[in-house]
Structures are given as C-alpha cells and as structure tokens.
Amino acid sequence: MKAVLNYLLTRRQDMLYWTFEHLELVGLAMGIAIVIGVALGLLLTRVRVLATPVLGLASVVQTIPSIALLGIMIPLLGIGKTPAIVALTLYALLPIIRNTYTGIQQVDPAIVDAGKGMGMSNRQILTMVELPMAVSVIIAGIRTSTVICVGITTLVTLIGAGALGTPIITGIQTYNDAEIWAGAAVAAGLALLLDFLLGLAENALTPKGIKSAA
C-alpha cells in the first residue's frame, strides 16, 4: 500500500493526465452510445419486429473479447483514440438499447391509452408519459454501460490511446506491482464515482410519483 501511495504522489501529474484522458474516452464513447442506444431502443418499441435481430446483434458484440475487438479496429481505423472510441461505443450499446426498450415496454398500456384519450400526440405521449416513467430503467442501463466502459478503457492503451491502462500495462511489462495497483485503483475509483453521479441523476430525473410507487 505504501508503494502504491508513493507512486501516486511521485507520478501525480502523469496520473492526472491519464485520468482525464480516460474520462475523455469514456465520455465520448458513452455520449455516442447514449444517443444511438436510446434512439434504437425507442425504434424497437415502435417496430417490434426489429427487436430480436437488433438486440441479438448487440449481444454478439458483447461476446467478442475486448482485446480481439480492439485488434479488429486496427486494420479498419488504425491506432489511437478513434478506434478506441468506436470499440467502446459498441460495447456500451447493449445495456442502453435493452433497458430503453424494456423500460418503455413496461409502461402501463392503460396510462398510454389515457394519454391518447386526452388528445395527446404520439410525441407528447413519448416525452410526457413513456420516457418519464421509463427514465430510471434507461439510466440503469447507462450506469451499467459506463462501468463496463471504464473497465475496458484500461485496455485501449494497447492500441495507442493512452488512458489509465498506461501504468497498468507498463507495470506488467516492468514487474512493478505498485504501478499496476495504482492504475487499477484509480480506474476502479473512477467507475464508482461515475456510477454514484449517475445514481444521483437517476434519482433527480425519476418523477416523484414513480419513486413512491417503487
């Protein structure tokens, strides 16, 4: 433990740089994944025949080992941050698509029918009824994807994208346990912090009536 703390203190500038680099990659990948994943999840609730093939394809991506997927990116997009973001986005999609689809599907049809009876348009029903009632499920998927994304981002160092995998990989190569633990500890702390913040967002965005019902 002392050796880990000493490494964090002596290399604090490098650790800060790698941490912000890690956050940048996770933030970009998650931003893209949220836009695509929520849009696809909503589409599947309207065109249900697509649900099985789309969710199946997203599940297949999850079964590909992360190192293999990063390796596949090299001949397609080269090395660096671009292939890393693409790979991370692909890994983050499944929980978001699935939870968006499931969350909307779980909305009581009677409530939707009541909205239609009041003259609400399809867009109003989506934005004022379905999404508010499904938001906690959707954010739960985003939280899962974020934690997965933070973990896998430690591997993008292997394709030249930097981040907190740098001290971990270097530590493995030089048999430096303190360096490995330092990178792993900061990455784990980052995952916990982001999950906590998203939990606060979930609590704030979930309507009070739904909280009390839960």
Side-chain angles (χ1 to χ4, degrees):
M1 179 62 70
K2 185 178 180 180
V4 175
L5 291 174
N6 184 59
Y7 179 87
L8 289 172
L9 288 173
T10 56
R11 300 292 299 274
R12 57 185 178 276
Q13 290 186 335
D14 290 331
M15 290 302 298
L16 280 172
Y17 177 79
W18 292 325
T19 300
F20 282 115
E21 201 169 37
H22 206 97
L23 276 171
E24 178 188 15
L25 292 170
V26 171
L28 287 170
M30 285 304 304
I32 297 169
I34 289 169
V35 171
I36 296 174
V38 171
L40 275 176
L42 294 175
L43 175 64
L44 299 185
T45 64
R46 271 52 185 174
V47 189
R48 296 184 183 180
V49 69
L50 295 177
T52 298
V54 170
L55 289 172
L57 181 60
S59 298
V60 168
V61 173
Q62 285 278 344
T63 66
I64 302 174
S66 50
I67 293 178
L69 185 59
L70 290 171
I72 292 171
M73 291 293 112
I74 295 175
L76 297 175
L77 298 170
I79 61 174
K81 293 184 178 181
T82 299
I85 291 169
V86 172
L88 293 171
T89 300
L90 291 174
Y91 264 111
L93 282 175
L94 178 60
I96 301 174
I97 298 172
R98 183 173 55 202
N99 278 42
T100 301
Y101 176 71
T102 301
I104 298 295
Q105 289 287 91
Q106 289 178 347
V107 175
D108 190 343
I111 298 176
V112 175
D113 289 340
K116 291 178 179 177
M118 294 171 61
M120 297 174 70
S121 66
N122 289 333
R123 177 174 293 184
Q124 288 175 321
I125 290 173
L126 175 63
T127 57
M128 299 173 66
V129 178
E130 292 178 317
L131 283 177
M133 298 193 71
V135 68
S136 62
V137 179
I138 295 172
I139 295 180
I142 293 172
R143 291 173 70 176
T144 300
S145 290
T146 301
V147 172
I148 292 172
C149 197
V150 171
I152 295 177
T153 302
T154 58
L155 296 174
V156 303
T157 304
L158 297 171
I159 59 171
L164 287 168
T166 303
I168 296 174
I169 301 300
T170 303
I172 292 172
Q173 293 172 338
T174 59
Y175 303 98
N176 187 335
D177 290 343
E179 197 167 11
I180 297 171
W181 278 105
V186 175
L190 193 60
L192 291 172
L193 175 62
L194 292 176
D195 184 62
F196 172 74
L197 293 175
L198 286 169
L200 294 179
E202 178 182 346
N203 188 59
L205 293 172
T206 302
K208 292 182 179 180
I210 296 176
K211 290 180 191 176
S212 58

